[in-house]
Structures are given as structure tokens and as C-alpha cells.
Amino acid sequence: EDSQLLEHLYATVGEKGKVITTEFSFNQEHQTKYELNFAKMSQTNLESKKSRTIRRKGDAAAVVKKAVWEWWSDSDEWEPFKDVDGQLLEKAYVAGETPFSTKKLSWNEGYDSLYIFDFTVMTQVNCDSKTSRKIQRTAAGGSKLFGHKDGEDDGYAGAVGFLSEKVGDTKVMFAGKFEPSLTPALVAEQKKLGAQSLRKQKKDY
């Protein structure tokens, strides 16, 4: 199990990459963060600072289950992200980048809305509309049963604050209250049009 996890992370970030994870089988109760440095082939406990040497035997990659990213739809069921979007989320997730913000999503072409993904609470927020959805990451076929809850997720969306000067795929900063930059008239007009992603396709991410 841990060997497959390591192989998946290695394939994701490359032989010179670094990644932070809590997903080792021996770490399920503690959720301690471990940094893996594949350039130095080391594993470091970020709490105790204790480091161990690791190695990868053989040239053939192990069989690795692909991580699946899903979102909770209005039909009250989990729907998979498109591969290109799932790969983007997986890259940010294994790098330990949370919150993660991006406009580079397949359903967002032509709209340029900023989306924020918080992998701690597994929530996705549209900064323009302030709407949010539950997301999850599982092994193939491993969908969970929880989803969007009115008030809970929407309250989280309302707490999203402002970006630092660097806009794009970057971490975000938070303030106590979200102040939308859109005028009430524009917000009303957008609501009449419906969800942005529904304007081009059936699935609403």
C-alpha cells in the first residue's frame, strides 16, 4: 500500500520533485506531515524533523491506482472531474498547496472566474458567484456518500477572502468576510443566466 503511494507520488512530481503527504498506512491516526524529497531520496517527519533515506528498486513502475477527483452535483451524486482538471488538482494536492487557486479549468474557458480549492475541508469555491461545492479524492470506484450541505458549504464560500498580489495558480489569503466586487445588478443578471458551467455543458462543476 505504501509502496504504491510512493510510486504514485514519484510519477506525479518526478525524480527531482518534493511532496508532502499524510497518507502512509502507519500514519492514519496521527496525520503527521511527511516530506518526500525524491532528488535526495529522503523522507522527513515535519514534526520531529527526523529524516530517513528511501530508495526505489527496479526500473519498472509499480501498478498504481489512479486517484479520482469528484464533485457533488445538483443531482445529489458524485461526478468525476474531466481528466485534465483532475490532473491539475492532483498536482496541487500532492504538492501540499492548499488553498489552491486557479482559472485554468476546462469548464471555465471564456469566463475567467477564479476558483479556490481547499483540500483541508475538500471544498471548491467560485469567487465570482460565491458558490461552493464539496469535492473528494478517492481511489478508482471509491466514492463516499456525503455531499453539499446548504449553509455549511455556502458559509465557507462566504468566508473566502482576497488574493495576494500574485494572481493565478497560487495560494490565497483569507479575511473574515467576503466582499464581492460585483454590483447587485450584475449579480442578479448572472443568477438569471444560471450557473456558468451550465451555459456550455450539462455538467455543473
Side-chain angles (χ1 to χ4, degrees):
E1 181 181 353
D2 292 333
S3 294
Q4 288 192 347
L5 170 64
L6 288 169
E7 189 63 32
H8 170 70
L9 296 175
Y10 182 88
T12 302
V13 302
E15 62 182 8
K16 301 296 183 182
K18 290 183 182 180
V19 63
I20 296 173
T21 184
T22 61
E23 295 186 19
F24 288 117
S25 60
F26 57 80
N27 190 41
Q28 296 306 303
E29 291 185 13
H30 305 290
Q31 292 296 298
T32 302
K33 291 182 179 180
Y34 285 84
E35 181 185 80
L36 298 166
N37 186 325
F38 294 119
K40 297 181 178 180
M41 280 296 179
S42 65
Q43 166 192 305
T44 303
N45 182 316
L46 296 182
E47 289 186 7
S48 67
K49 306 302 181 185
K50 186 173 182 178
S51 184
R52 296 178 183 274
T53 299
I54 60 175
R55 68 174 179 172
R56 179 174 181 263
K57 297 174 64 176
D59 296 327
V63 176
V64 180
K65 288 185 177 180
K66 180 182 177 182
V68 175
W69 285 91
E70 299 172 306
W71 53 279
W72 189 250
S73 73
D74 291 333
S75 301
D76 291 338
E77 59 184 3
W78 289 107
E79 295 282 354
F81 283 91
K82 289 186 177 180
D83 286 345
V84 64
D85 302 314
Q87 290 169 9
L88 178 65
L89 294 178
E90 183 68 10
K91 184 176 180 180
Y93 178 84
V94 299
E97 186 173 350
T98 186
F100 168 67
S101 66
T102 185
K103 297 180 179 180
K104 299 176 182 178
L105 300 160
S106 63
W107 71 86
N108 196 37
E109 293 179 6
Y111 297 108
D112 206 37
S113 295
L114 182 68
Y115 283 81
I116 296 175
F117 296 86
D118 191 317
F119 301 129
T120 302
V121 296
M122 283 297 182
T123 306
Q124 160 197 311
V125 177
N126 179 321
C127 287
D128 285 348
S129 65
K130 295 196 297 176
T131 57
S132 68
R133 291 184 181 275
K134 286 289 188 184
I135 60 173
Q136 70 171 3
R137 175 183 181 270
T138 67
S143 295
K144 300 176 185 177
L145 297 177
F146 60 85
H148 179 94
K149 293 182 180 179
D150 290 340
E152 175 188 299
D153 300 337
D154 298 327
Y156 177 77
V160 175
F162 55 92
L163 286 171
S164 59
E165 293 181 0
K166 183 179 178 182
V167 176
D169 291 345
T170 180
K171 291 185 178 181
V172 299
M173 300 175 66
F174 286 85
K177 184 179 180 182
F178 179 76
E179 295 293 345
S181 58
L182 304 177
T183 64
L186 182 57
V187 171
E189 181 180 350
Q190 293 299 309
K191 285 184 177 180
K192 288 181 181 179
L193 292 174
Q196 289 181 343
S197 53
L198 283 175
R199 299 174 204 171
K200 295 179 67 177
Q201 58 192 56
K202 289 184 179 180
K203 290 184 178 180
D204 176 14
Y205 293 88

